[in-house]
Amino acid sequence: MTVSRRVVLGSAFGGLAVSAFPLQARARAAGWALDNRMTTDAQWSDFLKKQDLLWARMPTVWHEGPFLGDGLLGSMVYKEPSANKVRFTVQHGRVQDHRPTYGSGFGTCRLPVGHLTLDPVGTITAVDWRLSLWDAELTGTIVTTAGRITFTAFIHDELFVADATVTGTEQVRWTFHPEAANSPREASEAPPSGYTHNPTWTTKTTGDVKQVLQALVGGGQTATAYRQTGNRLNLSVAHSFPSTSAAATTSLQKVQNAQPYDQLRTAHQAWWHAFYRKSFVSIPDQRLQSFHWIQLYKVASATRAGGPVMATTGPWLEPTPWPGVWWNLNVQLEYWLIHGSNHLELDSVTSTLDQNRAQLTANVGSAYRADSSGVGRSSDMFATRSVGTPGSGAEVGDLTWALHNVWLSYRHTMDDNLLRDVLFPLLRRAINYYLHFLASGSDGKLHLPSTLSPEYPVVPPQDTTYDLALIRWGCQTLIDAAARLGIDDPLKTKWQNTLSTLTPYPTDTNGYMIGGSTPYAQSHRHYSHLLQIYPLYLVNWDQTANRTLIEKSIVRWHALTGAHRGYSYTGAGSMYAMMGRGDTALSYLLKFFDPTTSFPCRANTHYTEAGPVIETPLSASQTIHDLLCQSWGGVVRIFPAVPSAWADVTLHDFLTQGAFLVSAVRQAGATRFVRVRSLAGEPLKLKHGLAGTVTATLDDGSPAAVTDLGGGVLQITLPKDREVLLYGGAAPSLVIAPVTASQPGAPWGLPGTPGRYEAENAQITQGAVESNHAGFSGTGFVNFDNVAGSAIEFTVEGPATGLTFGFANGTTANRPMAVSVDGGAATTLDFPGTGAWTTWTTRTLSASLAAGTHTVKLTATTANGGPNLDYLDLG
């Protein structure tokens, strides 16, 4: 496609004074305004319902089941092992041990709390669950031999809330099971010498509230309080340190003072409904689109600014060798997607580092504490972990990399207070730690003594590429920050000299090396030696002289395959997206979803290696972002690497560096328009991707001040709180709406056949769920009593034009049933003999079901009852 760089500076639209109208009014008066069809509750509910996770069979492990959370309290739902019960785990992001002597794996690790079980009277025969993203709640039914349990569960403000109803002789019976407060790492490793287990919990009852109280050897307390009132349950967990009693008081009061159920649910839904509206992304790959929205739900369930930084498991603790915070990749990848999606309210990295400055100082040796800070590979939520020294082969750059995340938050907000008060002073101390050890060599270059490239098994003798990249990024960022803030820092000359004399990155014929004298010679899941390419972008595709080196380095990294993990694919996807190679980038991303890979994405979009690790699926969402919009190097790039299969894409209020909100629409493989709103008045350089003559108009109809920089990049003067609209050729329709899926995909979770409703999940009158005749769908079928009037009622979602029933009839007699929709007039449908009870076939009836919820009821009309009914398919 040939793209003209000719720009029309203005439009035919009239203008009004900027000060006379708010922003949207200015746009309408000027003759253009976005037609946003994602504004109402109904529009959002309808869209997100299509992204929901579904379960038509019982999940048996944590990475199959639903998950709930509010940034602190978390629950995963799956079958209780070896029992006829449903487990709801109860874990909390603040619950940890406080014995740093024993390291982050044991002494300051996250600790288990316990789990609830829902204990039915009858044997569970079927489940039908939905994890609603829009409402952030789990709803569904559990069918048993004694009846049916219909339930709703959500977590809000550190309160687990469940409500249920029953039929038949079923009952709502909840049991809380405390778990020993021992390190989850014990599942794979013996505790260190001298370590003692925490004591057994105690219990307490205050009125109708029960509590489990867990004392800790290192001080502090964890307390769980819960109350079942009728069929409703409230549960809360609190943790205190150093207090050995405050948690008990907090958890008790949380349950005692809980708002009524309807008020809690309304407040809960209000938070989530406001959350989703901050940005919008729609792509034509249905399964990836759903995945992306599930990750937004996941990250908001796992963390909130001001709370603890995410551990490797998030708030959903399970047995794992990594029961803490890992700073050498996990933390960084966990949070990347919050920036583009416009969710800085989830940035607990910045708040954690800000709140724990004294600990970051204490983490370095006493000789360096006057001006330096650091953090070791893994820690607790307070960043408690000493860092080694260059020259010892230690991993020393992790704080600097974590501060890159803080920098990203700064760059997406252009908040000078964040820059001045948090990023600049912390980064200054992190870089100072490096500066203590850099030394000039015989070549006149600065060299760094031996440090570890995270997770690579060979330690370079000097000049580890990971650290050289972080030093370069840190020094340049400090120089830029000082200039912006007007700080005449005495270290400025040292930063400049470091940049000019630091040794180049070690390279060989295969590209970037791990470090000096250390080639990339064995498979490595981590891209620590490629940090300068991604995510730092110090070496990037705009630098044409570096393209060959970039490409061969990435090719070499993925040529040695034995150690690759999920984030190896998401990282490569983002690197190829930087190159503008959308199809290649997507091919790497899709490897993460390929079940034949060693460590693929799991049924509920979580991920596991030796234990749960939350960062990889979240980083996959960032790879999707990188396909759609990039803003590194001071240029906002619109649709820079959209795969050829994605002809239609919608972005709205996507947040970029420079604090710009971007809306853009791609249709039939071409960008139709771009709208940019400035939140900070920063200079805007825009690689727009528009074809033909480009029109650029401000929100008041006046011409935009535009300079063509070449290469499809425009520099646009855009004051704070103003908008600019760009399009090529004739003025397009400015509609923001979901795109039509060109690549359908099954829902996440454990869904049944799309459009299928299993009979065992329906409402049964005079019949039973059985599974003694092979060949049925789902978990069983319905055997009706041999009486007229035996019946089944399905609740289904339209639209549909036909009803297809799967059945078997092992007799020679017809077993007709009257079929009615929404209680209307019945139509008799014959179910003739099929020759055997294991011979399954179908019968179809025309019907007209509009969009929405409907009931379909079948009633036996003869004394023989109905056939064995397997399912209903909507057509």
Side-chain angles (χ1 to χ4, degrees), residues 396-398 400-401 404 427 431 434 438 446 448 451-454 462-478 498-499 502-506 512-515 526-539:
V396 302
D398 297 342
T400 306
W401 191 11
H404 181 258
L427 183 58
I431 292 300
Y434 277 124
L438 288 173
L446 287 174
L448 184 70
T451 57
L452 177 68
S453 187
Q462 66 174 1
D463 299 333
T464 297
T465 304
Y466 171 77
D467 295 291
L468 297 182
L470 290 168
I471 292 169
R472 284 192 167 89
W473 172 80
C475 287
Q476 187 61 60
T477 299
L478 287 168
T498 299
L499 288 175
L502 187 64
T503 190
Y505 304 113
Y512 287 111
M513 301 166 65
I514 298 297
H526 204 301
Y527 41 91
S528 54
H529 67 301
L530 302 178
L531 227 59
Q532 64 277 14
I533 300 174
Y534 182 81
L536 302 181
Y537 293 104
L538 300 174
V539 180

Side-chain angles (χ1 to χ4, degrees), residues 529-570:
H529 67 301
L530 302 178
L531 227 59
Q532 64 277 14
I533 300 174
Y534 182 81
L536 302 181
Y537 293 104
L538 300 174
V539 180
N540 60 67
W541 206 245
D542 284 354
Q543 302 160 349
T544 55
N546 286 326
R547 289 185 175 184
T548 299
L549 178 59
I550 291 170
E551 185 162 11
K552 70 180 179 181
S553 298
I554 299 170
V555 169
R556 174 64 173 176
W557 173 39
H558 269 270
L560 307 181
T561 60
H564 290 163
R565 298 295 185 267
Y567 62 77
S568 310
Y569 307 125
T570 66

Side-chain angles (χ1 to χ4, degrees), residues 101-118:
T101 302
Y102 297 105
S104 58
F106 288 89
T108 59
C109 65
R110 285 278 310 280
L111 291 175
V113 177
H115 62 274
L116 290 160
T117 55
L118 184 56

Side-chain angles (χ1 to χ4, degrees), residues 14 342 419 532 867:
N342 194 15
L419 180 64
Q532 64 277 14

Side-chain angles (χ1 to χ4, degrees), residues 361-372 386-387 389 429 433 436:
T361 298
N363 287 340
V364 301
S366 58
Y368 309 104
R369 290 175 188 164
D371 64 2
S372 301
S386 62
V387 59
T389 57
R429 295 182 64 88
Y433 193 55
H436 283 296

Side-chain angles (χ1 to χ4, degrees), residues 465-508:
T465 304
Y466 171 77
D467 295 291
L468 297 182
L470 290 168
I471 292 169
R472 284 192 167 89
W473 172 80
C475 287
Q476 187 61 60
T477 299
L478 287 168
I479 292 169
D480 295 343
R484 182 177 179 93
L485 297 172
I487 296 173
D488 185 16
D489 197 292
L491 290 175
K492 177 181 177 181
T493 300
K494 193 164 189 177
W495 299 331
Q496 292 171 329
N497 289 339
T498 299
L499 288 175
S500 63
T501 58
L502 187 64
T503 190
Y505 304 113
T507 60
D508 62 12

